[in-house]
Amino acid sequence: MKFELQATAAGTDARAGEITTDHGRIETPIFMPVGTLGSVKGVHQRELRDDIKAQIILGNTYHLYLRPGIEILRQAGGLHKFNGWDRPILTDSGGFQVFSLSDRRKLTEEGAHFRSHIDGSKHLFTPENVVDIERVIGADIMMALDECPPGTADYNYAKRSLGLTLRWLSRGWKRYRETEGLYGYSQAYFPIVQGVVYPDLRREAAKFVADLGADGNAIGGLAVGEPTEKMYEMIEVVNEILPADRPRYLMGVGTPANILEAIDRGVDMMDCVMPTRNGRNGMLFTANGIMNMRNKKWADDFTELDPSGTSYVDHAYSRAYVRHLFVAQELLAMQIASIHNLAFYLWLVGEARRHIIAGDFAQWKPQMIERVTRRL
């Protein structure tokens, strides 16, 4: 994997760059649609490519390990062959999912012991076998196994957790360096910076991670209960240390405003379930604000979903029609909303990139944040 830094924005830490993988190039800053089980919910691969213009999608190691299972993925020749997606894929290590199973898991030095949420069967993720699993899945970018503590964790818990994560990282990094991809193309391995909201822990983790010299680095454990301003502060603390010549991936964030603020602070890659999850529940993001499509006010509004003229809009559907679909509980409503929101997110990071290159990102961003946070 290669990363080329192409432009920086005066007065901010925002950057534009390009990641090159064996499955294609990714222009940064980039938003990555979440395809947990090998699919972005309700969205065809054709729509991801042509309508949403996704350049990279995510899969999840925990979920793919349980279903369809590693042997099926091995027989298929990896996730790209299994789901028909020919562009880059990133796989989360499953650490966050194991963290969320608070009543079904136990963390030890060896690894994460957990019970399947499907059938209660017992499993163990270690730093080593997660690398092996991700080799079988075949993602272009693999994430290290970590513990993701809650954003409200006290200092002592955060320190113990970080120590475990860094010891796991050393073992996972060693396994990664000792193994190769199974399908004839290269795979990168991103370590994850943890440390909750404590600057000294975040700095310790960022220094440890930076010293590995990995192809890229991730910032985890944010947007998990801490105040938004603390999240922004931790991004700044970490990005002062993470190398500027490698992509920086902020995991699981967030709203359109979160994304613009993260880009401002030097983040290159982001993912979140919000565009699809909120879309399925009737929330549409637009360049002029946020709409709840079940509101009565849209019942006789025959204008386009976003009449601002932005290029991501599918002009075939009116607000009244989409509201009707949601009220009638038609499945098409969720599909339209998911595609619309993902296309908006990709448009937004594309606009950020354009303004970084043009040199006016610092002037554009506050105006855009004011627009995208309105409630329509």
Side-chain angles (χ1 to χ4, degrees):
M1 195 192 87
K2 298 178 181 177
F3 177 63
E4 177 189 357
L5 190 60
Q6 297 173 325
T8 55
T12 78
D13 291 322
R15 313 118 58 83
E18 184 176 80
I19 299 169
T20 303
T21 76
D22 288 343
H23 280 102
R25 295 179 297 176
I26 305 159
E27 293 183 336
T28 64
I30 191 65
F31 179 82
M32 303 179 285
V34 177
T36 301
L37 282 158
S39 72
V40 178
K41 280 185 170 46
V43 181
H44 291 110
Q45 268 72 327
R46 170 182 51 78
E47 292 159 339
L48 283 170
R49 279 190 297 265
D50 301 340
D51 301 330
I52 296 165
K53 298 179 174 57
Q55 299 175 48
I56 176 174
I57 63 173
L58 269 69
N60 182 266
T61 297
Y62 167 85
H63 288 284
L64 292 168
Y65 162 79
L66 293 176
R67 291 190 293 212
I70 297 308
E71 189 51 41
I72 294 295
L73 290 168
R74 191 193 306 273
Q75 291 177 36
L79 184 57
H80 289 91
K81 295 277 185 66
F82 188 62
N83 72 357
W85 178 255
D86 60 0
R87 296 181 181 180
I89 296 175
L90 180 149
T91 43
D92 190 354
S93 67
F96 180 80
Q97 282 67 38
V98 171
F99 149 74
S100 68
L101 299 170
S102 57
D103 59 339
R104 293 169 174 254
R105 52 89 167 163
K106 178 182 179 183
L107 304 182
T108 68
E109 198 66 38
E110 183 183 14
H113 303 256
F114 63 93
R115 288 185 177 272
S116 165
H117 71 286
I118 301 168
D119 61 9
S121 56
K122 293 181 180 180
H123 302 272
L124 170 65
F125 274 179
T126 70
E128 294 85 1
N129 73 13
V130 163
V131 170
D132 298 342
I133 293 166
E134 291 186 279
R135 288 293 195 195
V136 175
I137 295 171
D140 300 87
I141 300 172
M142 311 187 299
M143 303 307 300
L145 180 66
D146 63 335
E147 182 191 359
C148 179
T152 55
D154 66 35
Y155 184 85
N156 288 334
Y157 181 95
K159 187 174 179 63
R160 289 195 305 272
S161 172
L162 177 59
L164 182 64
T165 286
L166 296 184
R167 292 191 298 276
W168 281 357
L169 174 57
S170 294
R171 289 164 51 193
W173 178 248
K174 181 174 184 291
R175 184 61 149 246
Y176 168 72
R177 303 273 287 179
E178 292 171 346
T179 57
E180 295 182 354
L182 304 179
Y183 309 116
Y185 55 86
S186 62
Q187 294 176 276
Y189 182 82
F190 283 20
I192 303 171
V193 176
Q194 291 288 354
V196 194
V197 295
Y198 304 106
D200 62 322
L201 298 183
R202 287 284 177 178
R203 290 189 184 98
E204 176 188 348
K207 178 68 165 59
F208 189 99
V209 162
D211 287 347
L212 292 179
D215 289 320
N217 302 296
I219 307 169
L222 294 175
V224 287
E226 79 286 352
T228 302
E229 290 308 315
K230 276 291 182 184
M231 175 175 72
Y232 297 151
E233 179 189 344
M234 292 305 102
I235 295 171
E236 293 171 9
V237 165
V238 169
N239 280 348
E240 287 177 359
I241 298 170
L242 292 182
D245 63 347
R246 311 292 166 93
R248 300 161 176 161
Y249 164 31
L250 177 62
M251 304 179 73
V253 179
T255 67
N258 292 158
I259 284 172
L260 293 177
E261 295 289 3
I263 291 170
D264 192 330
R265 290 162 171 81
V267 168
D268 306 295
M269 306 165 68
M270 292 137 288
D271 77 284
C272 190
V273 297
M274 185 171 284
T276 46
R277 179 178 291 171
N278 290 32
R280 293 194 303 273
N281 287 288
M283 178 182 285
L284 262 62
F285 299 98
T286 79
N288 284 317
I290 302 166
M291 296 190 293
N292 179 347
M293 296 315 299
R294 290 191 174 88
N295 283 353
K296 178 70 174 176
K297 66 188 295 184
W298 312 123
D300 59 354
D301 187 336
F302 302 104
T303 56
E304 301 155 4
L305 291 176
D306 187 346
S308 64
T310 50
S311 59
Y312 70 88
V313 175
D314 187 331
H315 297 281
Y317 305 115
S318 70
R319 296 173 177 183
Y321 178 61
V322 174
R323 179 189 183 272
H324 157 70
L325 294 177
F326 271 108
V327 171
Q329 299 184 354
E330 282 290 317
L331 294 178
L332 182 58
M334 295 185 284
Q335 187 175 15
I336 290 171
S338 296
I339 294 169
H340 172 95
N341 282 348
L342 286 172
F344 167 72
Y345 268 60
L346 267 294
W347 172 84
L348 184 65
V349 294
E351 284 294 286
R353 174 183 167 85
R354 187 170 68 82
H355 285 281
I356 291 167
I357 293 171
D360 63 349
F361 177 83
Q363 293 74 42
W364 171 81
K365 188 205 82 172
Q367 300 173 20
M368 199 68 211
I369 287 180
E370 192 278 325
R371 288 172 60 186
V372 299
T373 54
R374 295 173 188 159
R375 290 281 176 168
L376 300 180

